[in-house]
């Protein structure tokens, strides 16, 4: 049984940086890590790549040969990978005995909530190689500063969760830079726990562009609330405590914490039901560390 992560998210959210930092962190924990680059547009990798899709197909070649733009080219590359899945399986087989896998996927979000090719690739690998994978969906934390963008991020996260049908963790990345984008309208836990979205209506109406679509936004927020699936963890990839807390959550979601246990069903149930001891670090400690005290006072006054 092999464990790993499917790292996805919009362009610029920090997927490649995440894979680099996560591979180093897991290596320090004693795990043998193999990073698999499945982004044919990523030609400047900061990490040592065990498998690179550019050995199979290059985005630049596809765009030149078929007169496609970058988006169409990426869809073509994923289709090509799906049809040549045997190539990827052959590359992975020598690694699955003792490696933890990190899959670095392209940043084109349509691949993960609309098209079926990326999902098909993942499902075939899971079935044929007996993989246990968690989708780690990175969202740039600065989107929380704009209510409209935050709602869009929620919709993207929800759509991706429903489309991929994997154990799924949504992550607000670059949380250490959140104060660089302006003040939040509410405390951080409002955004991580996706609390009552009706409170966003007033702030959305302050923007003339958003006010025009007030009814549509309300209905979309109701859909998100009705599903009740989306919440966020936070991450500063340069903070070992932040990375460690996220690893705990990932290990529980894909079953890695059970891999070294040879015990009864009762013991497994105890571990599965036990809460993770990091709720404080997910919200209050993060807010205290990365946001100024005067911002807390302003946010508290807005809630009262």
């Amino acid at each position: 049984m092999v464990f790993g992560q499917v790292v996805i998210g919009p362009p610029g959210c920090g997927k490649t940086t995440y894979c680099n930092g996560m591979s180093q962190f897991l290596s320090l924990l004693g795990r043998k890590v193999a990073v698999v680059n499945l982004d044919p547009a990523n030609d400047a990798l900061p990490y040592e790549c065990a498998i690179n899709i550019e050995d199979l197909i290059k985005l630049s070649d596809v765009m030149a040969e078929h007169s496609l733009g970058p988006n169409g080219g990426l869809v073509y590359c994923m289709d090509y990978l799906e049809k040549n899945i045997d190539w990827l399986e052959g590359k992975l087989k020598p690694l699955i005995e003792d490696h933890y896998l990190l899959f670095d996927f392209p940043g084109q979000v349509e691949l993960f909530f609309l098209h079926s090719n990326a999902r098909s690739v993942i499902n075939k690998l899971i079935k044929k190689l007996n993989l246990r994978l968690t989708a780690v969906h990175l969202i740039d934390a600065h989107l929380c500063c704009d209510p409209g963008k935050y709602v869009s991020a929620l919709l993207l996260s929800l759509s991706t969760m429903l489309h991929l049908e994997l154990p799924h963790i949504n992550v607000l990345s670059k949380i250490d830079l959140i104060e660089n984008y302006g003040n939040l309208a509410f405390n951080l836990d409002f955004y991580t726990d996706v609390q009552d979205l009706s409170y966003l209506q007033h702030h959305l109406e302050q923007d003339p562009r958003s006010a025009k679509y007030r009814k549509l936004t309300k209905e979309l927020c109701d859909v998100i609330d009705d599903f009740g699936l989306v919440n966020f963890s936070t991450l500063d990839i340069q903070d070992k405590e932040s990375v460690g807390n996220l690893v705990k959550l990932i290990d529980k979601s894909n079953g890695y914490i059970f891999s070294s246990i040879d015990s009864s069903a009762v013991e497994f149930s105890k571990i599965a039901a036990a809460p993770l001891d990091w709720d404080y670090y997910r919200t209050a400690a993060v807010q205290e560390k990365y946001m100024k005290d005067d911002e807390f006072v302003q946010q508290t006054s807005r809630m009262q």
Side-chain angles (χ1 to χ4, degrees):
M1 188 177 297
V2 186
F3 299 90
Q5 304 174 30
V6 173
V7 184
I8 58 177
C13 66
K15 295 183 296 299
T16 298
T17 302
Y18 173 90
C19 288
N20 186 34
M22 181 60 70
S23 63
Q24 295 179 30
F25 184 87
L26 294 176
S27 296
L28 292 175
L29 295 181
R31 304 186 196 180
K32 295 180 67 176
V33 181
V35 184
V36 181
N37 176 44
L38 296 181
D39 184 358
N42 193 352
D43 54 3
L45 300 173
Y47 51 75
E48 183 178 349
C49 191
I51 303 173
N52 194 340
I53 192 176
E54 286 202 339
D55 295 335
L56 175 69
I57 188 171
K58 294 184 178 181
L59 178 62
S60 56
D61 294 343
V62 170
M63 293 171 62
E65 183 176 348
H66 300 282
S67 300
L68 294 172
N71 289 343
L74 283 171
V75 173
Y76 183 97
C77 289
M78 283 296 108
D79 285 336
Y80 190 84
L81 177 61
E82 180 185 3
K83 294 177 181 178
N84 293 273
I85 193 67
D86 293 341
W87 173 85
L88 183 56
E89 291 175 10
K91 294 283 188 178
L92 285 171
K93 284 181 179 178
L95 302 173
I96 61 176
E97 293 184 4
D98 57 355
H99 280 75
Y100 186 98
L101 304 176
L102 294 175
F103 293 91
D104 187 0
F105 272 88
Q108 188 179 7
V109 295
E110 300 97 306
L111 295 173
F112 304 102
F113 76 85
L114 181 61
H115 298 292
S116 62
N117 41 29
R119 180 181 63 181
S120 178
V121 167
I122 295 169
N123 288 338
K124 287 178 180 178
L125 293 178
I126 289 174
K127 292 178 181 179
K128 293 187 177 181
L129 301 179
N130 194 26
L131 305 184
R132 297 292 183 269
L133 302 177
T134 290
V136 179
H137 187 212
L138 303 180
I139 294 291
D140 200 318
H142 87 270
L143 298 180
C144 296
C145 299
D146 185 317
K149 293 179 180 178
Y150 175 67
V151 172
S152 297
L154 291 176
L155 283 173
L156 174 61
S157 300
L158 177 60
S159 300
T160 304
M161 293 174 75
L162 297 176
H163 188 71
L164 290 183
E165 298 180 325
L166 289 174
H168 194 106
I169 297 173
N170 296 303
V171 180
L172 292 177
S173 64
K174 307 179 187 177
I175 195 67
D176 52 311
L177 302 177
I178 192 168
E179 68 174 2
N180 294 349
Y181 301 105
N183 296 338
L184 298 182
F186 304 102
N187 286 327
L188 186 60
D189 60 349
F190 177 88
Y191 301 93
T192 57
D193 297 342
V194 190
Q195 297 175 9
D196 190 349
L197 296 179
S198 64
Y199 285 106
L200 286 177
Q201 291 297 318
H202 170 72
H203 297 277
L204 286 167
E205 291 173 2
Q206 304 306 307
D207 185 346
R209 296 169 299 178
S210 301
K212 181 179 180 181
Y213 303 103
R214 182 175 59 254
K215 292 183 179 179
L216 174 61
T217 303
K218 182 182 183 305
E219 294 300 323
L220 293 176
C221 289
D222 288 343
V223 170
I224 295 167
D225 283 333
D226 289 344
F227 274 96
L229 295 176
V230 183
N231 60 20
F232 292 97
S233 304
T234 59
L235 176 66
D236 173 6
I237 195 61
Q238 299 181 22
D239 184 342
K240 64 180 182 180
E241 188 173 41
S242 179
V243 179
N245 288 330
L246 182 59
V247 168
K248 290 179 184 178
L249 184 57
I250 294 171
D251 286 350
K252 190 170 184 178
S253 68
N254 61 20
Y256 184 88
I257 60 173
F258 304 106
S259 61
S260 59
I261 299 176
D262 184 14
S263 188
S264 65
V266 175
E267 294 300 318
F268 276 88
S269 299
K270 288 181 179 178
I271 296 174
L276 291 168
D277 57 351
W278 66 292
D279 282 344
Y280 170 76
Y281 295 99
R282 190 165 61 88
T283 53
V286 174
Q287 181 164 315
E288 181 180 351
K289 186 172 185 178
Y290 297 115
M291 300 172 67
K292 298 177 181 178
D293 291 341
D294 58 343
E295 293 175 353
F296 298 163
V297 174
Q298 295 173 11
Q299 292 159 3
T300 302
S301 64
R302 293 191 187 103
M303 291 291 292
Q304 293 175 343

